[in-house]
Amino acid sequence: MFAMGWRFALAHCTSDNITDCEHLLIFLRSWQIRTPSEIVDGDGQGGAMPRFSSQETVQSALRMSDQGVSDRVNADIHGVAIKTIRKWRRLYQRQGLPRLGSGYPATPCPRCDEADLNGSAYAHLLGWYLGDGHIARARRSVYVLSISNDPKYSGLSDEIAATMRLVKPTGSPCKRGGQATRIEVRWKHWPCLFPQHGPGRKHLRKIELADWQQEIVARYPDRLLRGLFHSDGCRVTNWTTRELKSGEIKRYEYLRYVFANESEDIIGILTAALDLLEIPWRRPRRNMVAVSQRAGVEALDGFVGAKS
């Protein structure tokens, strides 16, 4: 019964729960239970493994390999030898053998393959990336786009994941916990869509939009601003005092939007989008932009609003 349970769990591991699968493998080895690839590569006890695999198994293993899963974990998940995974990678990834029968073709890139790009979703995701996002290279030239968000704003985390799916329709964003919620999705073409990617912190290097990005932002400045203000900004109640003619000191409260970022280039991208919508702004500090006039606040309330 136990053997059937762990074999079933391995068979149902997917690219969305690779970490859980790796933990399962560590548990099995701690009990000296051998997984399929270890049986084949070891002393041969337990019976010979089949010498053929279904097309679905091959395509599933190749997808995980494309996403950076190690050969060892990939072999254990699919119940084949490590050398089989390596053979498939050699044939399909290195030599370019067509993946016949695949129901999951590689997601075409809007820049490399001229695939359609959801401009509204992209402008929104660009705002989040410029504020609280980064791109890291994983195995086999796969890149991970990661957006950080405050854990108490679960609604925004869901919105980020939905926006990622609109930009990469075949993507499966995953959420990782900690002091900040990280929403991540893998793709080989993230650097194509975010040419601002590079080594080092954003405020220490040049951040400039490409011409095609500027065209999208010009069409959807509201979506860019939503991503920027929700990542590195906030909507707060400010107050001030004023002395009346009677000598009384009266306190006034008003709403305002504040955006803070150390990159002068990113601040320039935000203020340019505000100018497109004719929303007045000012710079109370070197690294801050504030929208305090009632008309501007009301305009931002229409498409940004409070965090949730």
Side-chain angles (χ1 to χ4, degrees):
M1 182 68 68
F2 178 76
M4 292 179 61
W6 72 258
R7 290 179 186 275
F8 177 84
L10 277 179
H12 286 76
C13 286
T14 67
S15 59
D16 296 329
N17 62 353
I18 292 302
T19 301
D20 295 336
C21 296
E22 292 174 339
H23 290 167
L24 175 59
L25 297 178
I26 294 173
F27 169 77
L28 294 176
R29 294 190 180 104
S30 70
W31 283 85
Q32 297 183 344
I33 298 172
R34 291 180 300 172
T35 54
S37 65
E38 292 172 326
I39 294 174
V40 171
D41 295 340
D43 55 15
Q45 296 179 6
M49 293 291 291
R51 294 298 181 181
F52 60 90
S53 300
S54 67
Q55 189 64 38
E56 290 78 10
T57 299
V58 176
Q59 298 304 328
S60 175
L62 289 172
R63 287 197 302 275
M64 288 193 176
S65 180
D66 289 341
Q67 295 172 353
V69 179
S70 68
D71 291 342
R72 167 70 68 177
V73 174
N74 207 347
D76 286 337
I77 289 172
H78 293 93
V80 299
I82 295 178
K83 63 182 180 181
T84 301
I85 296 292
R86 291 170 180 166
K87 177 181 178 181
W88 291 344
R89 287 203 296 108
R90 182 177 69 253
L91 292 176
Y92 293 97
Q93 290 181 336
R94 299 178 187 174
Q95 298 180 12
L97 187 69
R99 302 185 183 186
L100 302 178
S102 172
Y104 300 88
T107 304
C109 172
R111 302 298 301 161
C112 302
D113 307 314
E114 298 184 355
D116 292 335
L117 177 63
N118 186 316
S120 175
Y122 175 76
H124 187 200
L125 191 59
L126 176 62
W128 273 103
Y129 166 74
L130 292 175
D132 277 328
H134 71 274
I135 296 173
R137 181 169 180 169
R139 292 192 181 102
R140 304 185 185 105
S141 300
V142 176
Y143 291 85
V144 181
L145 171 63
S146 178
I147 305 293
S148 299
N149 186 39
D150 193 317
K152 66 183 179 183
Y153 300 127
S154 58
L156 286 181
S157 295
D158 293 339
E159 182 178 289
I160 295 169
T163 303
M164 287 176 166
R165 293 189 191 97
L166 291 174
V167 175
K168 185 193 176 187
T170 60
S172 299
C174 62
K175 298 177 184 177
R176 303 187 185 278
Q179 293 184 347
T181 299
R182 290 181 291 117
I183 305 93
E184 300 179 345
V185 66
R186 295 168 175 257
W187 198 11
K188 290 187 175 183
H189 294 283
W190 285 127
C192 303
L193 293 187
F194 296 99
Q196 292 73 33
H197 166 63
R201 298 183 178 183
K202 297 189 188 80
H203 69 279
L204 298 178
R205 51 191 171 87
K206 183 69 176 177
I207 300 294
E208 186 177 16
L209 297 183
D211 291 343
W212 62 272
Q213 290 178 302
Q214 292 179 0
E215 292 176 2
I216 292 176
V217 169
R219 293 199 301 270
Y220 305 101
D222 55 331
R223 303 304 294 167
L224 174 78
L225 290 173
R226 181 177 176 85
L228 285 169
F229 275 110
H230 279 167
S231 60
D232 271 352
C234 60
R235 179 180 181 269
V236 297
T237 300
N238 200 26
W239 62 271
T240 187
T241 58
R242 183 175 301 173
E243 183 178 357
L244 303 180
K245 292 182 178 180
S246 62
E248 177 187 359
I249 303 298
K250 187 172 182 179
R251 176 185 171 113
Y252 293 90
E253 293 185 349
Y254 60 95
L255 292 173
R256 74 170 181 170
Y257 282 84
V258 176
F259 178 83
N261 195 290
E262 292 297 324
S263 171
E264 186 66 27
D265 294 334
I266 293 177
I267 286 180
I269 291 172
L270 176 120
T271 55
L274 290 172
D275 290 341
L276 284 173
L277 297 174
E278 298 182 348
I279 295 177
W281 54 270
R282 62 188 183 88
R283 297 280 296 269
R285 292 209 307 261
R286 174 192 60 80
N287 63 343
M288 181 180 293
V289 175
V291 175
S292 304
Q293 293 186 22
R294 179 177 298 178
V297 171
E298 290 178 351
L300 290 179
D301 279 345
F303 53 83
V304 177
K307 297 181 181 182
S308 63

